[in-house]
Amino acid sequence: MKKYSLICFVILLMVISLGESRVTAVTTEMINNQELGHELVEDNLNEESAEADELNQETVEQLIPQHEPDFTTRDVYDEVNANEVAIKNSKGLIENAMNNAYAKKKLGYQAGDTISWSVSTSMEHSGTDMMGSASNLRYTGTTTVNQDINKISDDGTVSFKFNLATKIASLTRLKNKETILESGKGLTYSYSAKYSYRTSKKALGIWVQVEDRFGTIASLAKLSNIELEEAPGLIAISKNPTNILEQESSFPENSIAELVEVSQKMNGGSLTYEWLIKPDTLLLGEQIGRIRVTDTLGDYKHRVDVAISFTIKEKGEIKIQAPKLLEFKDYHIQTAETVVQRKENNWTIVVEDSRNLTSLVEEQWTLTAKAESSESGLEQYMVFIDENGTEHSLIEETPIYKNQEFKENTAINWPENKGFLLRIPKNNQLSLEKNYQTMITWNIVEGP
């Protein structure tokens, strides 16, 4: 009986570490054994006596469970392993949630462009029998992302945000510049997660529940497969098949763009033009010039070199054909102010333009007139009234006509109440016995 008591004690201590259900099983087995009678029990005791003798006091002490370890005495590797499991769980959770919810909207290439999408997946992962690198530790519990994400790429070109409260993720381009997203590597961001695990440890082939594990980890995840809008390439061609220039003409830099037609560029970009090969207008005949067009938006730069055909012709000229006389109607001395009209209402000036013009040479020109000083003093009464009815004194050089486009011959005249007139005040020094005349100087000013 002593041997039987010792064996029961050992078995009972072993099954206590396995849980309450196994204790019940052993107890039932003991009861059944007792019901078989004293003789059967004695036989069993004889068979097991050899094994009982081999169990010394040291073996018994190893099988007796210790007190539950506290934070200062538990296995340090257990803590590292729990963190590893939490990192794996949270990384998979947050990456799948962000990437699967992404609506495939393209992020624009311009600074300020933003895309956003809603994440419906819970930010909590639950699992059972989870294992890390250690084969003798397993966990059951939850891992929860617990911090908003606010990441700006290392080069400051793009930002990624996720709001835990609204479940809204957004991606914003901060600079007009290619980012790590264009490389296809994705954007790595940091996040924080907390975990709470029931922990089991395997000893002598048996899983034993030990102290729970809980904590917070910080780790990295990646936002990948983002679709991007490409900055459109520059498309530029020569505007005209051939450009005619006159001999010895110049190339105003502000007119170089008129030679090129741009059909595609970046929104918000700025275009610049520069000569790579400028035609020599001292040489008559056909030549090929080359202009470089650059489209710039921040760090984006697109360039196209455009070939331009030129034909250099002999130099032309612009001439004024004005009647030799501009006569006014007779004036009768009066006490009131008087406006004297021209004798010929259809009095006309003709401008002849034989220049070989292109977009490089401004086609616009302005005709001016000035009444020169004379002995008679007629100039002080000469005025010019423009099409808006505004009156100008011809004592100063006055614009009288503006040409907006090229014409070989331009005829200029005015209605009888506009153009060149005399305005004679009521108090004047005019004499009936005197002939009044003066000279008008005409001048053409090229350009707008």
Side-chain angles (χ1 to χ4, degrees):
M1 295 298 293
K2 290 182 180 180
K3 290 183 180 180
Y4 176 76
S5 300
L6 177 60
I7 292 172
C8 290
F9 175 68
V10 172
I11 293 174
L12 184 58
L13 290 176
M14 291 175 63
V15 298
I16 285 174
S17 65
L18 298 178
E20 183 178 354
S21 61
R22 293 299 301 272
V23 173
T24 303
V26 172
T27 304
T28 302
E29 182 181 352
M30 290 172 59
I31 293 173
N32 291 337
N33 286 339
Q34 289 177 352
E35 291 176 352
L36 294 177
H38 179 73
E39 182 177 326
L40 178 61
V41 172
E42 288 290 330
D43 290 339
N44 289 336
L45 289 175
N46 290 333
E47 294 175 359
E48 296 174 354
S49 62
E51 296 179 9
D53 290 337
E54 294 176 1
L55 293 173
N56 55 27
Q57 185 63 30
E58 180 179 354
T59 303
V60 173
E61 291 176 356
Q62 290 177 348
L63 293 174
I64 298 175
Q66 302 299 314
H67 293 293
E68 187 179 44
D70 58 24
F71 181 81
T72 59
T73 60
R74 64 188 181 191
D75 187 355
V76 174
Y77 187 72
D78 188 351
E79 199 73 21
V80 174
N81 197 61
N83 285 348
E84 177 188 327
V85 173
I87 290 172
K88 180 174 68 174
N89 292 338
S90 59
K91 177 180 171 66
L93 166 68
I94 196 167
E95 286 189 343
N96 289 335
M98 294 301 167
N99 296 336
N100 291 338
Y102 167 55
K104 300 300 180 184
K105 298 177 183 177
K106 287 189 176 182
L107 178 63
Y109 61 88
Q110 290 180 283
D113 287 345
T114 299
I115 54 174
S116 61
W117 61 96
S118 177
V119 179
S120 58
T121 306
S122 170
M123 288 292 105
E124 182 175 283
H125 171 273
S126 297
T128 60
D129 295 336
M130 301 176 293
M131 300 185 69
S133 299
S135 60
N136 67 327
L137 293 168
R138 68 184 183 185
Y139 309 92
T140 297
T142 59
T143 312
T144 307
V145 176
N146 65 335
Q147 188 177 48
D148 288 351
I149 295 169
N150 191 347
K151 167 67 177 178
I152 297 179
S153 57
D154 294 338
D155 59 1
T157 57
V158 68
S159 71
F160 172 59
K161 294 182 180 180
F162 176 66
N163 187 309
L164 272 174
T166 63
K167 294 287 190 71
I168 298 296
S170 64
L171 193 62
T172 302
R173 192 179 290 275
L174 303 178
K175 294 182 180 179
N176 295 316
K177 179 181 179 181
E178 290 189 353
T179 73
I180 192 173
L181 297 175
E182 273 83 4
S183 70
K185 296 180 180 179
L187 176 65
T188 299
Y189 57 90
S190 59
Y191 70 91
S192 175
K194 61 181 180 180
Y195 65 90
S196 178
Y197 297 155
R198 185 172 71 249
T199 307
S200 298
K201 194 169 186 177
K202 195 173 186 179
L204 298 180
I206 301 171
W207 288 102
V208 181
Q209 184 175 346
V210 294
E211 184 182 3
D212 293 343
R213 296 291 179 263
F214 53 88
T216 300
I217 58 93
S219 188
L220 300 175
K222 182 174 289 187
L223 185 68
S224 57
N225 300 322
I226 298 297
E227 295 189 10
L228 306 168
E229 180 183 356
E230 293 185 9
L234 178 65
I235 298 178
I237 60 174
S238 176
K239 184 177 291 186
N240 304 310
T242 300
N243 299 274
I244 300 175
L245 295 177
E246 66 177 11
Q247 193 175 18
E248 300 180 7
S249 60
S250 60
F251 294 90
E253 293 301 322
N254 60 353
S255 298
I256 187 174
E258 296 181 11
L259 292 171
V260 179
E261 181 178 348
V262 175
S263 58
Q264 179 173 286
K265 61 184 286 293
M266 293 181 286
N267 291 330
S270 61
L271 295 175
T272 57
Y273 305 81
E274 60 178 318
W275 284 106
L276 297 180
I277 302 175
K278 185 182 292 188
D280 186 353
T281 60
L282 296 177
L283 303 176
L284 297 177
E286 296 182 355
Q287 298 183 38
I288 298 295
R290 192 169 295 275
I291 295 174
R292 171 165 291 175
V293 186
T294 304
D295 185 16
T296 303
L297 179 64
D299 283 5
Y300 297 117
K301 284 187 182 296
H302 298 158
R303 294 186 177 91
V304 172
D305 295 345
V306 181
I308 310 291
S309 297
F310 293 95
T311 298
I312 313 301
K313 293 187 175 182
E314 291 183 358
K315 188 173 183 180
E317 60 180 346
I318 186 167
K319 297 187 297 184
I320 304 170
Q321 299 292 340
K324 291 184 177 182
L325 292 177
L326 171 56
E327 296 183 285
F328 295 91
K329 294 180 179 180
D330 294 338
Y331 169 71
H332 301 284
I333 296 177
Q334 302 178 30
T335 58
E337 183 178 76
T338 305
V339 175
V340 182
Q341 296 178 343
R342 299 178 301 276
K343 278 188 177 182
E344 185 180 348
N345 288 332
N346 291 328
W347 190 85
T348 301
I349 299 174
V350 177
V351 176
E352 298 177 355
D353 193 351
S354 62
R355 297 173 299 165
N356 294 302
L357 300 175
T358 67
S359 56
L360 285 179
V361 178
E362 296 291 348
E363 297 175 351
Q364 301 178 27
W365 48 261
T366 301
L367 177 62
T368 67
K370 180 185 178 189
E372 301 294 343
S373 299
S374 65
E375 293 182 2
S376 66
L378 181 63
E379 66 276 1
Q380 61 184 311
Y381 304 116
M382 291 193 68
V383 295
F384 175 81
I385 298 178
D386 62 25
E387 59 184 7
N388 298 320
T390 303
E391 184 175 301
H392 307 270
S393 171
L394 285 178
I395 294 178
E396 302 293 336
E397 185 176 16
T398 301
I400 62 172
Y401 183 84
K402 278 198 170 187
N403 183 63
Q404 301 297 325
E405 59 184 354
F406 175 75
K407 294 179 182 178
E408 290 185 358
N409 295 288
T410 303
I412 307 168
N413 51 46
W414 301 269
E416 62 180 5
N417 62 338
K418 300 289 177 63
F420 296 100
L421 301 169
L422 293 176
R423 180 176 293 279
I424 301 176
K426 61 180 181 179
N427 297 320
N428 58 75
Q429 304 297 321
L430 294 176
S431 172
L432 295 176
E433 299 177 353
K434 189 173 181 180
N435 186 24
Y436 290 88
Q437 64 181 15
T438 188
M439 184 174 62
I440 297 177
T441 299
W442 314 102
N443 189 29
I444 289 280
V445 179
E446 295 180 83

